[in-house]
Amino acid sequence: NNSNNNDSNNTNYNNNSESPVVKFDTLIDIGAGPGLATLPLSKFFERTIATDVARPCCWRLRSKGFQGVQGDGLSPDVLTKLESILGPDTNIDVIAALNILDRCSEPITLLARIRSLLSTHPNNSGRLLLALRLPVDQRVVGADGSAEPPSESIPLAGSPTDLDGAVELRW
């Protein structure tokens, strides 16, 4: 670990540069997989909760010290688990949805649930950290490896297959 907690105001100092690193309250990483992106993000948060549909990924997340919640995206059962973990006064600073929208059946519903979760907590100041694979190829891959089209399409402005241009997701 390359940071030391020097005081109680959530500021850490990096040993390499001695520049302060402010720690935020809570990160929720949806579809975290084994936590490869969660781990570097988590150093900026006091608390990290990660969800994934795969039980082995949740075990791995827990072994890395994260609260792992097994379930599909922000399905009602996952929302219930998160609400019970978070409590009513938790400030969610960031919800990360990295490279999952094009792999879930209901990406628009997922975004609506993220917005709802961010807006129901104190300060309404949470942010969505979103990454989307380009070119966009929406498909839901089953446990047997079969690919099905999603039940909702991601509304993109611009060409979702143009890697040189910007793609805008209207939320």
Side-chain angles (χ1 to χ4, degrees):
N1 189 351
N2 66 352
S3 62
N4 297 320
N5 195 359
N6 294 334
D7 54 35
S8 61
N9 69 356
N10 294 340
T11 301
N12 291 331
Y13 290 88
N14 181 314
N15 287 337
N16 298 329
S17 66
E18 292 301 316
S19 60
V21 177
V22 176
K23 282 209 165 193
F24 299 97
D25 185 25
T26 303
L27 165 69
I28 298 175
D29 190 356
I30 301 169
L36 297 177
T38 312
L39 192 57
L41 287 172
S42 68
K43 69 180 178 179
F44 298 104
F45 297 88
E46 291 295 327
R47 181 179 189 187
T48 299
I49 303 168
T51 74
D52 200 86
V53 69
R55 181 170 289 150
C57 287
C58 287
W59 291 336
R60 180 164 291 174
L61 291 163
R62 289 183 194 116
S63 76
K64 292 179 180 180
F66 305 125
Q67 289 179 280
V69 176
Q70 184 183 357
D72 188 8
L74 280 179
S75 62
D77 65 313
V78 172
L79 279 175
T80 300
K81 290 175 190 176
L82 286 174
E83 289 293 338
S84 69
I85 291 170
L86 295 170
D89 297 325
T90 299
N91 187 39
I92 301 170
D93 292 295
V94 174
I95 295 180
L98 306 175
N99 299 325
I100 63 168
L101 283 187
D102 61 332
R103 295 293 177 257
C104 68
S105 181
E106 299 176 326
I108 306 309
T109 301
L110 177 62
L111 287 172
R113 288 179 177 149
I114 290 170
R115 177 181 277 177
S116 175
L117 190 58
L118 287 172
S119 68
T120 58
H121 284 80
N123 303 329
N124 294 329
S125 61
R127 299 289 183 250
L128 169 62
L129 176 61
L130 180 68
L132 184 63
R133 290 179 182 96
L134 294 177
V136 175
D137 178 24
Q138 274 191 269
R139 57 192 162 99
V140 180
V141 179
D144 62 358
S146 64
E148 301 288 330
S151 60
E152 298 175 346
S153 293
I154 300 172
L156 298 172
S159 172
T161 58
D162 181 10
L163 291 177
D164 294 328
V167 176
E168 179 183 352
L169 172 64
R170 299 186 188 252
W171 182 26

